[in-house]
Amino acid sequence: MAASCSFVCCGEERDTDKAVIVRFSNGSVKNPDRLDFSLYKNTDETNPRKKSRRILVAESDRLSYVGHNFGAGSLKCNSLCKYYVGVLNKQTMQMEVHNAQLFNMQPAIPGETTDIAKSQDTTQTYRDKVDSLIEAFGTNKQKRALSSRKLNQVGSDTLQHAVDKAANTVINKKGLEALQQEVADAESQGELALHLPPCNANADKQENVYPFDNLLSPVEFEALEEAGSKMAAVTPEELQKMRDDGGCLSVVRHLENLPTADEARVKTARCAFYLSLLLKLVRQRSMTRKFGQEEGCPRIIQNKLFKTFTVETFNSGRLQNTVSASMRAKIAAYCLALLLHLGHMTADLTLLHRDLRITEARMIEVAKSMGLTLIRPARAKADEAGLQDNHTQASLLLPLVKYEQLTERRKRKKMH
């Protein structure tokens, strides 16, 4: 008569008490007794996702096998259903039922990376993962777009490599300090070019460095005929009133010394009127179409002032032509260039900065940016200094003076 057996439940089991069932991917093992099994668990016991991870290793004389219960190489059935295995005790003829866990054992060849290692590559970016999906499952349109993007990327990398190589060649040839100085000079010239009149630094004559036609075109100069005639006919009383009001001392000085020759007299009178408009404009915050009408300003000159020395801003729902700080610096440079033509390439900076109502340091900065030679008055004694008003002069000499740009900045005081 055949012997009978009974089932016995093992009760509460811990995760370490689970039975292990292995399946070899390349077939069945003929001699399982020659395999040495080792089970490894994750050391992170606090992470609920990692604490149940196990790696089973089976080693033989010829080959080693590795199985995981996580990752791409694991069996998905472990998470979908629950397995049990029965162990028969032949002495008591009772079968104990234990929880089971399945491992898919795959041969591990030294030197080759497994699919699990590839899937756990943390260095792969999101873009690379999407590209891999497009290469495997994307449409023809997506694959063409991916191929085009990679070709463009290769071209960009090649261009960047060529630029880096050329930059290194230039740096090695000229030196880093020389290049930094060139960059500083270019930046300073670019900033100053915003408010300087057109300059021809290579001119052979002084009057051609800042051409008069760039300050007043022939058409604009002819338009000032009537206004220049009135300016040439001012009386000594009117000059005294202009001197007392202030703001046009540079104009008064040239009107007091009008040339006797007709051509030079006409040029000085017309330029004096245009200079008075610039000095009036620099004290305005905004410019309207009524500007200069009382003085008899021609429309072509008014349009020139709008276009050259104002910026359009949007305020209270309408456009306004304002005179910004940069435009004031531009007006100062144009006034200085005009005075150079009136004063035989020499201008009084002291009178001009008082008319413009800017600091003397700012006026000197504009003169230096134009490459002018500064003529400072000699220091007088204390008793003589009170009797005379020393003025700083600016002269245009060839070649133009190239001043060094100050790169140091004042240190700010720390707030305690």
Side-chain angles (χ1 to χ4, degrees):
M1 182 177 179
S4 62
C5 66
S6 59
F7 292 93
V8 178
C9 182
C10 59
E12 293 293 334
E13 283 188 329
R14 294 177 298 176
D15 189 61
T16 55
D17 297 333
K18 289 184 178 180
V20 175
I21 301 176
V22 298
R23 186 187 71 179
F24 291 88
S25 61
N26 60 336
S28 59
V29 180
K30 296 181 179 180
N31 299 316
D33 297 337
R34 296 183 180 181
L35 294 176
D36 185 10
F37 290 90
S38 299
L39 184 64
Y40 301 94
K41 67 175 183 177
N42 198 299
T43 57
D44 191 355
E45 297 289 344
T46 59
N47 193 325
R49 292 186 176 183
K50 294 183 179 181
K51 68 178 183 179
S52 60
R53 292 183 177 181
R54 299 291 184 268
I55 298 177
L56 183 63
V57 179
E59 297 180 351
S60 64
D61 297 337
R62 299 180 57 187
L63 196 60
S64 297
Y65 300 88
V66 179
H68 304 76
N69 67 346
F70 61 92
S74 63
L75 296 175
K76 300 301 180 183
C77 57
N78 285 328
S79 59
L80 300 176
C81 53
K82 203 168 186 179
Y83 291 87
Y84 294 92
V85 62
V87 181
L88 178 62
N89 189 342
K90 294 182 179 181
Q91 296 179 355
T92 60
M93 296 304 293
Q94 291 182 345
M95 182 178 290
E96 297 179 356
V97 180
H98 297 270
N99 287 323
Q101 195 171 17
L102 275 65
F103 286 88
N104 183 31
M105 307 299 293
Q106 295 180 352
I109 301 175
E112 292 188 2
T113 58
T114 61
D115 295 336
I116 297 177
K118 293 180 181 178
S119 63
Q120 294 178 345
D121 186 10
T122 58
T123 59
Q124 195 176 24
T125 62
Y126 176 78
R127 170 59 64 183
D128 296 336
K129 294 178 181 178
V130 173
D131 292 345
S132 300
L133 291 176
I134 292 176
E135 291 177 352
F137 308 104
T139 62
N140 293 333
K141 184 177 180 181
Q142 290 175 332
K143 291 180 180 179
R144 287 195 301 267
L146 175 61
S147 177
S148 177
R149 181 167 58 82
K150 287 186 175 181
L151 289 175
N152 293 335
Q153 184 178 3
V154 171
S156 177
D157 294 342
T158 304
L159 178 61
Q160 184 65 31
H161 179 71
V163 171
D164 293 341
K165 186 177 180 180
N168 292 330
T169 303
V170 174
I171 291 174
N172 295 332
K173 185 177 180 180
K174 289 189 175 182
L176 184 59
E177 295 182 358
L179 288 175
Q180 290 176 347
Q181 184 62 34
E182 290 182 4
V183 171
D185 294 342
E187 289 180 352
S188 62
Q189 291 176 1
E191 294 175 357
L192 296 174
L194 297 176
H195 65 261
L196 292 183
C199 175
N200 182 15
N202 299 323
D204 54 350
K205 295 182 179 180
Q206 294 174 320
E207 56 270 18
N208 295 333
V209 175
Y210 295 100
F212 183 79
D213 290 345
N214 291 333
L215 304 176
L216 278 173
S217 66
V219 178
E220 296 166 348
F221 184 77
E222 291 297 329
L224 292 171
E225 179 181 0
E226 182 178 354
S229 300
K230 293 181 181 180
M231 188 64 70
V234 293
T235 62
E237 291 77 11
E238 292 174 342
L239 288 177
Q240 184 61 36
K241 183 180 178 181
M242 293 173 61
R243 188 183 296 106
D244 296 338
D245 293 341
C248 293
L249 298 177
S250 301
V251 177
V252 171
R253 168 166 291 191
H254 285 86
L255 291 179
E256 289 176 343
N257 304 299
L258 279 175
T260 56
D262 292 340
E263 185 177 355
R265 186 180 182 87
V266 170
K267 180 178 180 180
T268 303
R270 296 181 184 182
C271 291
F273 176 80
Y274 181 64
L275 181 61
S276 65
L277 291 178
L278 291 178
L279 295 178
K280 181 181 178 181
L281 178 62
V282 79
R283 294 189 290 271
Q284 304 290 327
R285 288 190 176 182
S286 60
M287 182 180 176
T288 64
R289 288 296 175 182
K290 296 182 180 181
F291 179 82
Q293 289 184 356
E294 296 181 359
E295 294 83 359
C297 176
R299 180 55 62 90
I300 186 174
I301 299 299
Q302 190 183 62
N303 293 336
K304 177 183 178 65
L305 297 178
F306 268 103
K307 183 179 180 180
T308 309
F309 302 108
T310 64
V311 291
E312 291 185 349
T313 58
F314 191 77
N315 186 19
S316 301
R318 60 192 182 95
L319 288 176
Q320 290 183 348
N321 292 82
T322 59
V323 184
S324 61
S326 60
M327 289 295 105
R328 290 187 176 89
K330 187 175 184 178
I331 293 174
Y334 274 74
C335 289
L336 183 53
L338 194 63
L339 288 174
L340 289 174
H341 285 278
L342 295 179
H344 304 287
M345 294 298 134
T346 301
D348 193 327
L349 293 182
T350 302
L351 288 181
L352 184 57
H353 93 77
R354 291 174 183 175
D355 292 340
L356 294 171
R357 297 181 182 180
I358 61 176
T359 62
E360 185 178 8
R362 180 61 172 166
M363 191 71 250
I364 292 177
E365 182 182 351
V366 173
K368 286 183 176 180
S369 66
M370 297 176 65
L372 305 181
T373 302
L374 301 179
I375 304 174
R376 301 179 184 272
R379 292 185 178 181
K381 295 182 180 180
D383 53 348
E384 297 178 358
L387 299 176
Q388 61 181 0
D389 191 5
N390 297 327
H391 290 197
T392 302
Q393 306 289 328
S395 297
L396 195 154
L397 302 177
L398 296 178
L400 297 179
V401 183
K402 186 177 181 181
Y403 295 91
E404 294 182 359
Q405 299 292 330
L406 297 177
T407 57
E408 296 182 358
R409 295 181 179 179
R410 294 180 180 179
K411 295 182 179 180
R412 296 183 179 179
K413 294 182 179 180
K414 294 182 179 180
M415 301 297 293
H416 298 286

